[in-house]
């Protein structure tokens, strides 16, 4: 087998690679690409710290991919993220960043503009409140999806996300979510022992999350109430779903896993 053959990544390979990278596969029946099977073109929607980190993880973990498009509500967030990504020194990453100015989109319709491009895969890392609407649009656009958790902050959002999941199944798309404990070796090995009964039958379980206080961005005079709340999204339940939904979802998932 040639080097070119061993480096070839199909859309089916993408699903497997995503799982190995620590993402939970919700639907991994992606078929081989009819076109562009050598290189997967990624778009990032949501250019904050998590989105920037996820884009770097993607570039670290896959030889045959390119980050080609970015979208964010705020121009300063997109510009900062783009500079950080383009400044990465690793040689394998530098060759995988190909972002042109006309593939950078800002505003409330930025996600629609990105989905209208020829990207194969999106990384979705916006604030949680808008995630269901974006993911539904991405599934309808035929894009493979990695989305951060939580998938929604309320019941209507959950139902919208479930609709997106059904569309992804119908279209043979990969839909991947950020409950990464399911693919973290220490958790997988420990859970295997628990589910095999090595500590006996579990009667009850309790989980904790110990962390620091959320970030705060001091209000600027030119910000509207809406912009202030979205920029400080962790402090507002309608934007983030509160700590239990936004962060503790990891441990709740582990408890559900342990309780089978």
């Amino acid at each position: 087998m040639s080097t070119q053959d061993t480096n070839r990544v199909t859309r089916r390979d993408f699903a497997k690679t995503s799982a190995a990278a620590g993402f939970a596969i919700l639907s991994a029946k992606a078929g081989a690409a009819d076109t562009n099977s050598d290189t997967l073109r990624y778009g990032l929607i949501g250019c904050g710290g998590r989105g920037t980190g996820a884009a770097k993880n993607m570039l670290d973990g896959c030889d045959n991919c390119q980050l080609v498009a970015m979208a964010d509500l705020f121009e300063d967030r997109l510009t900062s993220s783009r500079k950080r990504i383009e400044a990465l020194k690793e040689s394998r990453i530098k060759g995988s960043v190909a972002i042109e100015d006309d593939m950078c989109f800002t505003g409330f319709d930025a996600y629609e503009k990105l989905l209208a491009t020829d990207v194969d895969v999106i990384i979705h890392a916006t604030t949680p409140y808008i995630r269901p609407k974006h993911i539904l649009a991405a599934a309808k656009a035929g894009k493979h999806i990695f989305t951060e958790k939580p998938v929604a902050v309320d019941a209507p959002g959950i139902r919208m996300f479930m609709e997106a999941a059904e569309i992804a199944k119908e279209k043979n798309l990969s839909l991947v979510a950020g409950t990464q404990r399911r693919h973290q070796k220490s958790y997988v090995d420990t859970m295997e022992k628990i589910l095999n009964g090595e500590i006996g039958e579990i009667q009850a379980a309790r989980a904790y999350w110990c962390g620091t206080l959320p970030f705060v961005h001091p209000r600027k005079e030119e910000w509207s109430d809406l912009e202030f709340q979205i920029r400080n999204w962790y402090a507002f339940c309608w934007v983030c779903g509160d700590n239990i939904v936004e962060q503790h979802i990891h441990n709740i998932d582990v408890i559900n896993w342990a309780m089978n």
Side-chain angles (χ1 to χ4, degrees):
M1 183 179 292
S2 69
T3 301
Q4 183 177 2
D5 289 334
T6 59
N7 286 339
R8 185 176 297 275
V9 176
T10 66
R11 285 176 172 81
R12 186 180 299 276
D13 294 327
F14 160 70
K16 297 176 182 177
T17 303
S18 298
F23 303 145
I25 296 292
L26 301 184
S27 172
K29 298 179 180 179
D34 294 326
T35 60
N36 196 29
S37 60
D38 288 336
T39 301
L40 288 168
R41 292 167 58 81
Y42 276 76
L44 172 62
I45 302 176
C47 302
R50 182 75 288 269
T52 304
K56 183 179 184 301
N57 293 153
M58 176 271 295
L59 296 171
D60 279 334
C62 181
D63 289 329
N64 295 343
C65 63
Q66 281 189 324
L67 182 63
V68 299
M70 301 178 74
D72 196 273
L73 178 58
F74 302 118
E75 184 174 0
D76 62 309
R77 300 298 288 168
L78 188 152
T79 299
S80 173
S81 176
R82 182 180 178 183
K83 286 181 178 178
R84 289 170 59 189
I85 292 171
E86 290 180 336
L88 293 171
K89 302 298 184 182
E90 297 90 334
S91 58
R92 63 179 293 166
I93 290 180
K94 288 180 72 67
S96 298
V97 179
I99 308 164
E100 301 293 338
D101 290 344
D102 62 356
M103 292 288 277
C104 292
F105 311 102
T106 57
F108 281 103
D109 62 349
Y111 77 100
E112 294 177 319
K113 292 176 180 177
L114 187 145
L115 293 176
T117 71
D118 63 347
V119 298
D120 302 298
V121 187
I122 67 159
I123 299 172
H124 194 270
T126 70
T127 46
Y129 85 99
I130 200 65
R131 186 159 293 138
K133 182 177 181 178
H134 287 186
I135 296 304
L136 180 58
K140 289 180 176 179
K143 308 300 184 183
H144 299 283
I145 302 161
F146 164 69
T147 177
E148 267 301 340
K149 51 54 168 172
V151 298
V153 300
D154 53 27
I158 289 293
R159 288 191 285 272
M160 187 179 293
F161 195 94
M162 291 171 69
E163 180 184 352
E166 287 303 314
I167 292 173
K169 287 180 182 179
E170 292 170 3
K171 292 189 174 185
N172 250 6
L173 301 172
S174 291
L175 177 57
V176 179
T179 43
Q180 75 267 24
R181 302 286 187 254
R182 297 275 180 158
H183 302 275
Q184 184 173 335
K185 188 176 187 306
S186 56
Y187 277 82
V188 173
D189 291 347
T190 300
M191 205 60 66
E192 182 179 7
K193 292 180 170 57
I194 291 173
L195 295 176
N196 284 339
E198 294 191 24
I199 65 171
E201 184 179 354
I202 300 175
Q203 302 299 320
R206 185 173 296 175
Y208 299 87
W209 185 286
C210 300
T212 58
L213 291 173
F215 57 85
V216 175
H217 298 297
R219 183 163 188 162
K220 295 183 179 180
E221 185 176 348
E222 64 270 22
W223 288 357
S224 65
D225 287 343
L226 179 61
E227 181 168 352
F228 173 73
Q229 291 187 32
I230 292 178
R231 285 187 182 270
N232 286 284
W233 60 274
Y234 215 133
F236 296 93
C237 291
W238 73 270
V239 190
C240 79
D242 207 352
N243 182 263
I244 298 297
V245 171
E246 205 291 317
Q247 195 61 253
H248 205 39
I249 182 63
H250 287 299
N251 291 349
I252 294 171
D253 181 47
V254 170
I255 294 299
N256 284 332
W257 188 6
M259 299 298 288
N260 202 25

